[in-house]
Amino acid sequence: MTDTPRLKELQDMLSLQTDEKGRIDLLISIGEEIRNFDVDEAMKIAIDIISRSKIVGYSKGLGQGFCLKGFCHRLKGEYEAGIAVLKEALSIARKIHEPNMEATSLYYLGNIYRDLGDLGNVFSHYEKALVINEELGEEYYQSVILSSISNLLYDLNDYDSALEYALKCLPIFERVHNVNSLLNIYNTLGNIYFKKEQLPEALHYFSENLGRSEPETAAYVMAESGLGKVYYKMHDFGNANKYLTNALRESKNLGNAEVQIICFFYLGRLFMDEGSYRMALQYLENAYKLAQEYSRRHDIMSVHEILSALYDKMGDIPKAFHHLKSFEQLKEEIFKQKIINELRNLQVRQQTELAKKEKEVAERTAFLKHQFMANMSHEIRTPMNAIVGMTRLLLGRDPKPDQLRYLNAIQLSSNNLLVIINDILDLSKIEAGKIIIEHVDFNLREIMESVRDMLMLKVEEKGLELRVVIDPEIPKRLTGDPTRLNQVLINLAGNAVKFTEKGYVEVKATLMKKERKRLSIKFDVADTGIGIAQEYADSIFDSFTQAGADVTRKFGGTGLGLTISKQLVGLMGGDISVQSELGKGTTFTTIIALEVAENQEEIKQAGMLDGAAMERLNKLKIMLVEDNEFNRMVAEDTLRELIPGINLHSAINGQDALNKLMKEQYDILLMDIQMPVMDGLTATKLIRTTLPEPARSVKIIAMTANVMQEDVQEYFRTGMNAYVSKPFNADELLLKMDTVMTNNPPEDLIKPEHTTEPLKEGRKFPALPAQVTDMTFLKGFTGGSMEKQQKYMGMFMDNAPKLLDSLEKALANNDYNAVKIAAHSLKPQMSYMGIKEEVSNIFLIEQSAGETAHRDTLPDLVENLKRLCSKAFEELRGIK
């Protein structure tokens, strides 16, 4: 057996591997490495893999063992056995949802059907494998299949199409430096040029293969046989005899039937041309016998044709006629099969096109839904901003008692409408996978108290008792997602207050279980309200569902609060349930896993503005950029009322703002996004890139009704410093104005990705979190095995730099498809290391590469990704 450097490396790794599944994985790689030069040894390894996998119950190993065994059966010409084991592999792949293995099984089956001349099965299997690899974004494996389709077109004498396919694959194989793939495609090109009578080109590719391949391997003897037949066509019978004879001898040792048939066939033709008919007959009959034995119909057809010519030269007309008739009959069968195959292939393509169309429709529907949600949010929030703002202003101007009643009603209705809008947007974001669960420190008591504070007014109005109980065993500070936990508790407690007319509502936190730093905490929200009938209890968490039409009419609402709560709890890895009795009350129970925070010291939170902050704000010169007259009026009146000394100017669109900024200096621009003439994003880009200092560095706060997550990310990428959603909260607006001017943004108001640090060429990038990796998932995935964790971390640190390099080079070459593929490959590896999307933006990179309009953001995103990976590598190297 020939030892290659790669084989020696794999064998060394095998000697150190102690995990049985890890040993099986390495044996598969070893088998794949040696199968082209020692098929018998590879077959033994395949059988060993299958046996080992059955003992330890390793389905993936079993399927890959069958794949390797089927590949070896094909090399040995044992086609029926090969088909049987590859169908086993295909069944396992589909059962355990391994698309890569499924594609490989289909491809190997297609290769056997090609050898058998069953063209209908060849195309259908290749097509299915191709579709799977297209969905996986596997460019290399797509090219492997396309190279086999090139060989098939060669079999069908369509040499121009075969050449077109082969030349498409060649640069991909050369780029990835896969030796076996290059050997195969060079052999294919040699055969095609040989048939096209372009003999110098054919000689070049076969000579290349002879120099690239190891002696006594299948690739080496294939190259020798190729050179032999080219020299035969060039009438260089001396070299032809030498290469064909060597190839025949070595292929017998290797048990390679395909090369033996080629050598027997062309040596027979050579002796026929030299007039040695008896010797020619002997070689051609050997070729015919082998072709019959291995059911190689194309080879049988070719031998019939030459035997007919030979018997004609020998004067045996009956035999010449017999072989000519057999040749014509088999040719008709094969090319009739070609027509049948083309019809089948058309059907498969139609099915594939239909599936693609369905996928496109689904994606388009999702896109339109997202656009609708964003537009709805903007269109509703814009007039709501005016309604809420003007109501607030009027309430502060001593209205008459009857006016106060109407204003309070307007304010209550506006707030209810905003709750409904937020519910629908939250559900949309959850369905689109846009909700990211955070992992930050927080004070549970503050969360519980905020729930009480938000509901207290309504509770007092209804004369209810509101109880908030916290188990003293729960530590003060925990780690998790406080925003989403608060949202769930507000939803549940708000519902409890809403549906309770007398009695109490209780929000209770109880420590269920503690394992080191991991806590299981139960949150009960109980009430003495109307309860839920049994027939509605099972569906109460479904979207737009409430406990009957009468409830909807009486209490209103979207019926989305519980749906959102259930999905948020699920995203946090928890569980939610309900127990209720009609007329007696309801208890919602939520169990969530949280962790004990490292730091139990109280962290002083940023509060309302003090006197010094108000004095700073009074000195500011502000430009309000807003096209909507009502919203402009609300903002102007609110700011002048809260900050009497403020120097406030207005602009009606982005162009107007640019013109004024070039003439006068401002401290802050309060920038609307959607405006005529020039929108807020375009204006911000031009300010940051074209204006001189100090105008270029003016602070910009987005005041917008567009608050979808991707919109907010775009604001910060463009160069904005903060954002406030419409309808705006006056206190929040003042606080953000002060924080952007003092460059000390509190975490709860401006997230880490919003703060920036200068980098080369004056660009700005997000400041990276203190810790970018999180081993929580990997620990669970590996069952706590440090050995397995180290293995996956090692794979990441080995593969990620290569993918980053590919991504950078692809971007430099404007090869956006390659950018997308590299990002797609890197994305799951980063998730294993616990690197969050909002930090890496790897999904955003993948999506932006596929959308022309967003490609200008890629250089900064990739630069940021490099910084992130560098920090991730440093963290992973520190884990022992």
Side-chain angles (χ1 to χ4, degrees), residues 621-623 647 649 657-667 669 691 694-695 698:
K621 185 176 180 181
I622 309 293
M623 188 198 303
N647 186 355
H649 297 239
L658 271 174
N659 294 340
K660 291 181 177 179
L661 193 58
M662 285 189 282
K663 296 175 183 176
E664 296 184 60
Q665 186 175 336
Y666 292 88
D667 297 301
L669 303 189
L691 295 191
V698 66

Side-chain angles (χ1 to χ4, degrees), residues 643-678:
I643 317 171
I646 196 168
N647 186 355
L648 185 61
H649 297 239
S650 293
I652 57 173
N653 56 55
Q655 185 62 61
D656 189 19
L658 271 174
N659 294 340
K660 291 181 177 179
L661 193 58
M662 285 189 282
K663 296 175 183 176
E664 296 184 60
Q665 186 175 336
Y666 292 88
D667 297 301
I668 297 176
L669 303 189
L670 301 177
M671 181 81 74
D672 187 27
I673 298 298
Q674 291 191 10
M675 294 180 289
V677 184
M678 182 184 290

